[in-house]
Coordinates of all heavy atoms in Angstrom, one line a residue:
M1 N 4.8 1.8 -6.4 CA 3.3 1.7 -6.6 C 2.7 2.8 -5.8 O 1.7 3.4 -6.4 CB 2.9 0.3 -6.1 CG 1.4 0.1 -6.3 SD 0.8 -1.6 -5.9 CE 2.0 -2.5 -5.2
L2 N 3.1 3.1 -4.6 CA 2.5 4.1 -3.8 C 2.6 5.6 -4.5 O 1.7 6.3 -4.5 CB 3.1 4.2 -2.4 CG 2.7 3.1 -1.4 CD1 3.5 3.2 -0.2 CD2 1.3 3.0 -1.2
K3 N 3.7 5.7 -5.1 CA 4.0 7.0 -5.8 C 3.0 7.2 -6.9 O 2.4 8.2 -7.2 CB 5.4 7.0 -6.3 CG 5.7 8.3 -7.0 CD 7.1 8.4 -7.5 CE 8.0 9.3 -6.6 NZ 9.4 9.5 -7.0
R4 N 2.7 6.1 -7.7 CA 1.7 6.1 -8.7 C 0.3 6.4 -8.2 O -0.5 7.1 -8.8 CB 1.7 4.8 -9.6 CG 2.9 4.8 -10.6 CD 2.7 3.6 -11.4 NE 3.4 2.5 -10.7 CZ 3.4 1.2 -10.9 NH1 2.7 0.8 -12.0 NH2 3.9 0.3 -10.4
M5 N 0.1 5.7 -7.2 CA -1.3 5.9 -6.6 C -1.5 7.4 -6.0 O -2.6 7.9 -6.1 CB -1.6 4.9 -5.4 CG -1.7 3.5 -5.8 SD -1.8 2.2 -4.7 CE -3.4 2.5 -4.0
E6 N -0.4 7.9 -5.5 CA -0.4 9.2 -5.1 C -0.6 10.2 -6.2 O -1.5 11.1 -6.2 CB 0.9 9.6 -4.3 CG 0.8 11.0 -3.7 CD 2.1 11.3 -2.9 OE1 3.1 10.8 -3.2 OE2 1.9 12.1 -1.8
T7 N 0.1 9.9 -7.3 CA -0.2 10.8 -8.5 C -1.5 10.7 -9.1 O -2.0 11.8 -9.6 CB 0.9 10.3 -9.8 OG1 2.2 10.4 -9.1 CG2 0.8 11.0 -10.9
M8 N -2.1 9.6 -9.0 CA -3.5 9.4 -9.4 C -4.5 10.1 -8.4 O -5.8 10.1 -8.7 CB -3.9 8.0 -9.6 CG -3.1 7.3 -10.7 SD -3.4 5.6 -11.0 CE -5.0 5.8 -11.9
G9 N -4.1 10.7 -7.4 CA -4.8 11.2 -6.3 C -5.6 10.4 -5.4 O -6.5 10.8 -4.7
W10 N -5.1 9.1 -5.3 CA -5.9 8.1 -4.5 C -5.4 8.1 -3.0 O -6.1 7.8 -2.1 CB -5.7 6.7 -5.1 CG -6.4 6.5 -6.3 CD1 -7.5 7.3 -6.8 CD2 -6.2 5.4 -7.2 NE1 -7.9 6.7 -8.0 CE2 -7.3 5.6 -8.3 CE3 -5.4 4.3 -7.3 CZ2 -7.3 4.7 -9.3 CZ3 -5.5 3.5 -8.2 CH2 -6.5 3.6 -9.3
L11 N -4.3 8.6 -2.7 CA -3.7 8.7 -1.4 C -2.7 9.8 -1.2 O -2.3 10.3 -2.1 CB -3.1 7.3 -1.1 CG -2.0 6.7 -1.9 CD1 -0.6 7.3 -1.5 CD2 -1.8 5.3 -1.8
T12 N -2.4 10.0 0.0 CA -1.3 11.0 0.5 C -0.3 10.1 1.3 O -0.6 9.3 2.0 CB -1.9 12.1 1.2 OG1 -2.5 11.8 2.4 CG2 -2.8 12.9 0.4
R13 N 1.0 10.7 1.1 CA 2.0 10.1 1.9 C 2.7 11.3 2.7 O 3.1 12.2 2.1 CB 3.0 9.4 1.0 CG 2.6 8.2 0.2 CD 3.6 7.6 -0.7 NE 4.2 8.6 -1.5 CZ 5.4 8.5 -2.1 NH1 6.2 7.5 -1.9 NH2 5.9 9.4 -3.0
T14 N 2.8 11.1 4.0 CA 3.4 12.1 4.8 C 4.4 11.5 5.8 O 4.2 10.3 6.2 CB 2.4 13.0 5.6 OG1 1.5 12.1 6.3 CG2 1.5 13.8 4.6
R15 N 5.4 12.1 6.2 CA 6.3 11.7 7.1 C 6.3 12.6 8.4 O 6.4 13.8 8.3 CB 7.7 11.6 6.7 CG 8.0 10.6 5.6 CD 9.5 10.3 5.3 NE 9.6 9.4 4.3 CZ 9.6 8.1 4.4 NH1 9.4 7.6 5.6 NH2 9.7 7.3 3.4
P16 N 6.0 12.2 9.6 CA 5.9 13.0 10.8 C 7.3 13.7 11.0 O 8.3 13.1 10.9 CB 5.6 12.0 11.9 CG 5.2 10.7 11.4 CD 5.8 10.7 9.9
D17 N 7.2 14.9 11.5 CA 8.5 15.7 11.8 C 9.4 15.1 12.9 O 10.5 15.0 12.9 CB 8.2 17.1 12.1 CG 7.7 17.9 10.9 OD1 7.9 17.6 9.8 OD2 6.9 18.9 11.3
N18 N 8.6 14.4 13.8 CA 9.4 13.8 14.9 C 9.9 12.4 14.6 O 10.8 11.9 15.4 CB 8.4 13.7 16.2 CG 7.3 12.8 15.9 OD1 6.9 12.5 14.7 ND2 6.6 12.4 17.0
D19 N 9.6 11.9 13.5 CA 10.2 10.5 13.1 C 10.1 10.3 11.7 O 9.1 9.8 11.1 CB 9.5 9.4 13.9 CG 10.1 8.0 13.7 OD1 11.1 8.0 13.0 OD2 9.7 7.1 14.4
Q20 N 11.2 10.7 11.1 CA 11.2 10.7 9.5 C 11.2 9.2 8.9 O 11.1 9.0 7.8 CB 12.3 11.4 9.1 CG 12.2 12.9 9.1 CD 11.1 13.5 8.2 OE1 11.1 13.2 7.1 NE2 10.1 14.2 8.8
R21 N 11.4 8.2 9.9 CA 11.5 6.9 9.4 C 10.1 6.3 9.1 O 9.9 5.4 8.4 CB 12.1 5.9 10.4 CG 13.5 6.3 10.8 CD 14.1 5.5 12.0 NE 13.3 6.0 13.1 CZ 13.4 5.4 14.3 NH1 14.2 4.3 14.5 NH2 12.7 5.9 15.3
R22 N 9.1 6.8 9.7 CA 7.7 6.5 9.5 C 7.1 7.2 8.3 O 7.5 8.2 7.9 CB 6.8 6.9 10.9 CG 7.2 6.2 12.0 CD 6.4 6.6 13.2 NE 5.0 6.2 12.9 CZ 4.0 6.8 13.5 NH1 4.2 8.0 14.4 NH2 2.7 6.6 13.3
L23 N 6.1 6.5 7.7 CA 5.4 6.9 6.5 C 3.9 6.7 6.8 O 3.5 5.6 7.0 CB 5.9 6.2 5.3 CG 5.2 6.7 4.0 CD1 5.4 8.0 3.6 CD2 5.5 5.7 2.9
I24 N 3.2 7.8 6.9 CA 1.8 7.7 7.0 C 1.1 7.7 5.6 O 1.2 8.7 5.0 CB 1.2 8.8 7.9 CG1 1.9 8.7 9.4 CG2 -0.2 8.8 8.1 CD1 1.7 9.8 10.3
I25 N 0.2 6.8 5.4 CA -0.4 6.6 4.1 C -2.0 6.8 4.4 O -2.5 6.1 5.1 CB -0.1 5.4 3.3 CG1 1.4 5.3 3.1 CG2 -1.0 5.1 2.2 CD1 1.8 3.9 2.7
S26 N -2.6 7.8 3.7 CA -4.0 8.0 3.9 C -4.7 8.1 2.6 O -4.2 8.7 1.6 CB -4.2 9.4 4.7 OG -3.5 9.4 5.9
L27 N -5.8 7.4 2.6 CA -6.7 7.6 1.3 C -7.4 9.0 1.3 O -7.7 9.6 2.3 CB -7.9 6.6 1.4 CG -7.4 5.1 1.1 CD1 -8.7 4.2 1.2 CD2 -6.9 5.0 -0.3
T28 N -7.3 9.5 0.1 CA -8.0 10.8 -0.1 C -9.5 10.5 -0.3 O -10.0 9.3 -0.4 CB -7.5 11.5 -1.4 OG1 -7.7 10.6 -2.5 CG2 -6.0 11.8 -1.3
V29 N -10.3 11.6 -0.5 CA -11.7 11.4 -0.8 C -11.8 10.6 -2.0 O -12.8 9.8 -2.1 CB -12.5 12.8 -0.8 CG1 -13.8 12.6 -1.3 CG2 -12.4 13.4 0.6
Q30 N -11.2 11.1 -3.0 CA -11.2 10.3 -4.3 C -10.9 8.9 -4.2 O -11.4 8.0 -4.8 CB -10.1 11.0 -5.2 CG -10.2 10.3 -6.6 CD -9.1 10.9 -7.6 OE1 -8.6 12.0 -7.3 NE2 -8.8 10.2 -8.6
G31 N -9.7 8.6 -3.3 CA -9.4 7.2 -3.2 C -10.6 6.4 -2.5 O -10.8 5.3 -2.8
L32 N -11.3 7.1 -1.4 CA -12.3 6.4 -0.8 C -13.5 6.1 -1.9 O -14.1 5.0 -1.9 CB -12.9 7.2 0.2 CG -11.9 7.3 1.5 CD1 -12.4 8.4 2.4 CD2 -11.9 5.9 2.2
N33 N -13.7 7.0 -2.8 CA -14.8 6.9 -3.7 C -14.3 5.8 -4.8 O -15.2 5.3 -5.5 CB -15.0 8.3 -4.4 CG -15.8 9.2 -3.4 OD1 -16.4 8.7 -2.5 ND2 -15.6 10.5 -3.7
E34 N -13.1 5.6 -5.0 CA -12.7 4.8 -6.0 C -12.0 3.4 -5.6 O -11.1 2.9 -6.1 CB -11.7 5.6 -6.9 CG -12.4 6.6 -7.7 CD -11.4 7.3 -8.7 OE1 -10.5 6.8 -9.2 OE2 -11.7 8.6 -8.8
R35 N -12.4 3.0 -4.4 CA -11.9 1.8 -3.9 C -11.8 0.6 -4.8 O -10.8 -0.1 -4.8 CB -12.6 1.4 -2.6 CG -12.2 2.1 -1.4 CD -12.9 1.6 -0.2 NE -14.0 2.6 0.1 CZ -14.8 2.6 1.1 NH1 -14.8 1.5 1.9 NH2 -15.8 3.4 1.4
Q36 N -12.9 0.4 -5.6 CA -12.9 -0.7 -6.5 C -11.8 -0.6 -7.6 O -11.1 -1.6 -7.9 CB -14.3 -0.9 -7.2 CG -14.4 -2.0 -8.2 CD -14.3 -3.4 -7.4 OE1 -14.8 -3.5 -6.3 NE2 -13.7 -4.4 -8.1
A37 N -11.6 0.6 -8.1 CA -10.6 0.9 -9.1 C -9.2 0.7 -8.5 O -8.3 0.1 -9.2 CB -10.7 2.3 -9.6
I38 N -9.0 1.0 -7.3 CA -7.7 0.8 -6.6 C -7.4 -0.7 -6.4 O -6.4 -1.2 -6.6 CB -7.7 1.4 -5.2 CG1 -7.7 3.1 -5.4 CG2 -6.4 1.1 -4.4 CD1 -8.0 3.9 -4.1
G39 N -8.4 -1.6 -6.0 CA -8.3 -2.9 -5.9 C -7.9 -3.5 -7.2 O -7.0 -4.4 -7.2
T40 N -8.6 -3.1 -8.2 CA -8.2 -3.6 -9.5 C -6.8 -3.3 -10.0 O -5.9 -4.1 -10.5 CB -9.2 -3.1 -10.7 OG1 -10.5 -3.5 -10.2 CG2 -8.9 -3.6 -12.0
A41 N -6.4 -2.0 -9.7 CA -5.1 -1.6 -10.0 C -3.9 -2.3 -9.2 O -3.0 -2.7 -9.7 CB -4.9 0.0 -9.8
L42 N -4.2 -2.6 -8.0 CA -3.3 -3.3 -7.2 C -3.2 -4.7 -7.7 O -2.1 -5.3 -7.7 CB -3.7 -3.3 -5.7 CG -3.5 -2.1 -5.0 CD1 -4.2 -2.1 -3.6 CD2 -2.1 -1.6 -4.9
A43 N -4.3 -5.3 -8.0 CA -4.2 -6.8 -8.6 C -3.5 -6.8 -9.8 O -2.7 -7.7 -10.0 CB -5.7 -7.2 -8.7
N44 N -3.7 -5.9 -10.6 CA -2.9 -5.9 -11.9 C -1.5 -5.6 -11.7 O -0.6 -6.3 -12.4 CB -3.4 -4.7 -12.8 CG -4.9 -5.0 -13.4 OD1 -5.3 -6.1 -13.4 ND2 -5.6 -4.0 -13.8
C45 N -1.1 -4.9 -10.8 CA 0.4 -4.6 -10.5 C 1.1 -5.8 -9.9 O 2.1 -6.1 -10.3 CB 0.5 -3.4 -9.4 SG 0.2 -1.8 -10.2
I46 N 0.3 -6.6 -9.2 CA 0.8 -7.9 -8.6 C 1.0 -8.9 -9.6 O 1.9 -9.6 -9.7 CB -0.1 -8.3 -7.4 CG1 0.1 -7.3 -6.3 CG2 0.2 -9.8 -6.9 CD1 -0.9 -7.5 -5.1
Q47 N -0.1 -9.1 -10.5 CA -0.1 -10.2 -11.4 C 0.7 -9.9 -12.6 O 1.5 -10.8 -13.1 CB -1.5 -10.4 -11.8 CG -2.3 -11.2 -10.7 CD -3.7 -11.4 -11.0 OE1 -4.2 -11.1 -12.0 NE2 -4.5 -12.2 -10.2
E48 N 0.7 -8.8 -13.2 CA 1.3 -8.6 -14.5 C 2.8 -8.7 -14.5 O 3.4 -9.4 -15.1 CB 0.8 -7.2 -15.1 CG -0.6 -7.3 -15.6 CD -1.1 -6.0 -16.2 OE1 -0.3 -5.1 -16.4 OE2 -2.4 -5.8 -16.3
P49 N 3.4 -7.8 -13.7 CA 4.9 -7.7 -13.7 C 5.6 -9.0 -13.2 O 6.5 -9.6 -13.8 CB 5.4 -6.6 -12.8 CG 4.1 -5.8 -12.6 CD 3.0 -6.7 -12.9
A50 N 5.0 -9.7 -12.1 CA 5.7 -10.8 -11.6 C 5.0 -12.1 -12.2 O 5.5 -13.1 -11.8 CB 5.5 -10.8 -10.0
D51 N 3.9 -11.9 -12.8 CA 3.2 -13.1 -13.3 C 3.0 -14.2 -12.2 O 3.2 -15.3 -12.3 CB 3.9 -13.7 -14.5 CG 2.9 -14.7 -15.3 OD1 1.7 -14.5 -15.3 OD2 3.6 -15.6 -15.9
L52 N 2.4 -13.7 -11.1 CA 2.2 -14.6 -9.8 C 0.8 -15.3 -10.0 O -0.1 -14.8 -10.4 CB 2.2 -13.7 -8.6 CG 3.5 -13.1 -8.2 CD1 3.2 -12.3 -6.9 CD2 4.5 -14.1 -7.8
D53 N 0.9 -16.6 -9.7 CA -0.4 -17.2 -9.6 C -1.0 -17.1 -8.1 O -0.2 -16.5 -7.3 CB -0.3 -18.7 -9.9 CG 0.7 -19.4 -9.0 OD1 0.7 -19.1 -7.8 OD2 1.5 -20.3 -9.5
D54 N -2.2 -17.4 -8.0 CA -2.8 -17.2 -6.6 C -2.2 -17.9 -5.5 O -1.9 -17.2 -4.4 CB -4.3 -17.6 -6.7 CG -5.2 -16.7 -7.4 OD1 -4.8 -15.4 -7.6 OD2 -6.4 -17.0 -7.8
G55 N -1.7 -19.0 -5.8 CA -1.0 -19.8 -4.7 C 0.4 -19.0 -4.3 O 0.6 -18.8 -3.0
S56 N 1.1 -18.5 -5.2 CA 2.4 -17.9 -4.9 C 2.1 -16.6 -4.2 O 2.8 -16.1 -3.3 CB 3.2 -17.6 -6.2 OG 3.6 -18.8 -6.8
Y57 N 1.1 -15.9 -4.8 CA 0.7 -14.5 -4.1 C 0.3 -14.8 -2.6 O 0.8 -14.1 -1.7 CB -0.5 -14.0 -4.8 CG -1.0 -12.9 -4.1 CD1 -0.3 -11.6 -4.0 CD2 -2.3 -12.8 -3.5 CE1 -0.8 -10.5 -3.4 CE2 -2.8 -11.7 -2.8 CZ -2.0 -10.5 -2.8 OH -2.5 -9.4 -2.1
K58 N -0.5 -15.7 -2.4 CA -1.0 -16.1 -0.9 C 0.2 -16.5 -0.1 O 0.3 -16.1 1.1 CB -2.1 -17.1 -1.0 CG -3.5 -16.5 -1.5 CD -4.4 -17.6 -1.6 CE -5.7 -17.0 -2.2 NZ -6.8 -18.0 -2.3
E59 N 1.1 -17.2 -0.6 CA 2.3 -17.7 0.2 C 3.1 -16.5 0.5 O 3.5 -16.3 1.7 CB 3.1 -18.7 -0.6 CG 4.3 -19.2 0.1 CD 5.1 -20.2 -0.9 OE1 4.5 -20.7 -1.7 OE2 6.2 -20.4 -0.5
M60 N 3.4 -15.6 -0.5 CA 4.1 -14.4 -0.3 C 3.5 -13.5 0.7 O 4.1 -12.9 1.6 CB 4.4 -13.7 -1.6 CG 5.4 -14.4 -2.4 SD 5.7 -13.9 -4.1 CE 5.9 -12.2 -3.9
L61 N 2.2 -13.3 0.7 CA 1.4 -12.5 1.6 C 1.5 -13.1 2.9 O 1.7 -12.2 4.0 CB 0.0 -12.5 1.2 CG -0.9 -11.5 1.8 CD1 -0.5 -10.1 1.7 CD2 -2.4 -11.6 1.3
T62 N 1.5 -14.4 3.1 CA 1.6 -15.0 4.5 C 3.0 -14.7 5.1 O 3.0 -14.2 6.3 CB 1.4 -16.5 4.4 OG1 0.1 -16.8 4.0 CG2 1.5 -17.2 5.7
V63 N 4.0 -14.9 4.3 CA 5.4 -14.6 4.7 C 5.5 -13.1 5.1 O 6.1 -12.7 6.1 CB 6.4 -15.0 3.6 CG1 7.8 -14.5 4.0 CG2 6.4 -16.5 3.3
N64 N 5.0 -12.2 4.3 CA 4.9 -10.7 4.5 C 4.3 -10.4 6.0 O 4.8 -9.6 6.6 CB 4.3 -10.0 3.3 CG 4.6 -8.6 3.6 OD1 5.7 -8.1 3.9 ND2 3.5 -7.7 3.2
K65 N 3.1 -11.0 6.1 CA 2.4 -10.7 7.4 C 3.2 -11.3 8.6 O 3.3 -10.7 9.6 CB 1.0 -11.4 7.3 CG 0.1 -10.8 6.4 CD -1.4 -11.4 6.4 CE -2.3 -10.7 5.5 NZ -3.5 -11.5 5.4
R66 N 3.9 -12.4 8.4 CA 4.7 -13.0 9.5 C 5.9 -12.0 9.8 O 6.2 -11.7 10.9 CB 5.2 -14.3 9.1 CG 6.0 -15.0 10.2 CD 6.2 -16.5 10.0 NE 7.1 -17.0 10.9 CZ 8.2 -17.7 10.7 NH1 8.5 -18.0 9.5 NH2 8.9 -18.1 11.8
L67 N 6.6 -11.6 8.7 CA 7.6 -10.6 8.8 C 7.1 -9.4 9.6 O 7.9 -8.8 10.5 CB 8.2 -10.3 7.5 CG 9.3 -9.2 7.6 CD1 10.5 -9.7 8.3 CD2 9.8 -9.0 6.1
I68 N 6.0 -8.9 9.2 CA 5.4 -7.6 9.9 C 5.2 -7.9 11.3 O 5.6 -7.0 12.2 CB 4.2 -7.1 9.1 CG1 4.6 -6.5 7.7 CG2 3.4 -6.0 10.0 CD1 3.4 -6.2 7.0
S69 N 4.6 -9.1 11.6 CA 4.5 -9.3 13.0 C 5.7 -9.5 13.8 O 5.8 -8.9 14.9 CB 3.6 -10.7 13.1 OG 3.4 -11.1 14.4
L70 N 6.7 -10.1 13.2 CA 8.1 -10.2 13.9 C 8.7 -8.9 14.2 O 9.2 -8.6 15.2 CB 9.0 -11.2 13.1 CG 8.6 -12.6 13.0 CD1 9.5 -13.3 12.0 CD2 8.8 -13.2 14.5
L71 N 8.5 -8.0 13.3 CA 9.2 -6.7 13.3 C 8.4 -5.9 14.4 O 9.1 -5.2 15.3 CB 9.1 -6.0 12.0 CG 10.1 -6.4 11.0 CD1 9.8 -5.8 9.6 CD2 11.5 -6.3 11.3
K72 N 7.0 -6.0 14.5 CA 6.3 -5.3 15.5 C 6.7 -5.8 16.8 O 6.8 -5.0 17.8 CB 4.8 -5.6 15.2 CG 4.2 -4.7 14.1 CD 2.7 -4.8 14.1 CE 2.2 -4.0 12.9 NZ 0.7 -4.3 12.8
D73 N 6.9 -7.1 17.0 CA 7.3 -7.7 18.3 C 8.7 -7.2 18.7 O 8.9 -6.9 19.9 CB 7.4 -9.3 18.2 CG 6.0 -9.9 18.0 OD1 4.9 -9.1 18.4 OD2 6.0 -11.1 17.8
M74 N 9.6 -7.0 17.7 CA 10.9 -6.4 18.1 C 10.8 -5.0 18.6 O 11.6 -4.6 19.4 CB 11.8 -6.5 16.8 CG 12.2 -7.9 16.5 SD 13.0 -7.9 14.8 CE 14.6 -7.1 15.3
V75 N 9.9 -4.2 18.1 CA 9.8 -2.9 18.5 C 9.1 -2.7 19.8 O 9.4 -1.8 20.6 CB 9.0 -2.0 17.4 CG1 8.6 -0.6 17.9 CG2 9.8 -2.0 16.1
D76 N 8.1 -3.5 20.1 CA 7.4 -3.4 21.4 C 8.1 -3.9 22.6 O 9.1 -4.2 22.8 CB 6.1 -4.4 21.3 CG 5.1 -3.8 20.3 OD1 5.1 -2.6 20.0 OD2 4.2 -4.5 19.9

């Protein structure tokens, strides 16, 4: 999904020279100007291929946030 968004000119992806494991994602000026279109595109990507209902999406988002939190705690 990020690759497609980068191709559309909405964001850039860079890896710092000192840590290639990290990926820095930044919105371009075009991306900032087209936030609504980006939100719509993301919603379509989530719903169409996986056919997720709102409840499943929210449940998966909660699990994802918990995983991110646990991983951050492991690094700190």
Side-chain angles (χ1 to χ4, degrees):
M1 183 174 3
L2 291 175
K3 187 180 251 185
R4 283 186 275 165
M5 292 174 73
E6 185 176 34
T7 300
M8 295 180 79
W10 288 345
L11 58 84
T12 59
R13 298 180 300 157
T14 55
R15 292 194 186 273
D17 290 336
N18 63 343
D19 187 353
Q20 290 291 307
R21 297 172 295 173
R22 294 181 61 207
L23 178 63
I24 298 171
I25 300 167
S26 304
L27 285 176
T28 62
V29 173
Q30 179 184 348
L32 289 170
N33 291 334
E34 298 183 25
R35 279 185 255 180
Q36 182 65 37
I38 293 170
T40 301
L42 288 173
N44 290 340
C45 286
I46 290 168
Q47 290 178 349
E48 287 178 15
D51 197 28
L52 294 175
D53 59 39
D54 284 342
S56 296
Y57 171 74
K58 288 178 182 177
E59 181 181 340
M60 290 171 52
L61 188 60
T62 300
V63 171
N64 188 40
K65 287 178 181 179
R66 183 169 176 231
L67 177 60
I68 290 169
S69 177
L70 290 169
L71 291 171
K72 282 182 180 179
D73 289 345
M74 291 173 64
V75 173
D76 293 338

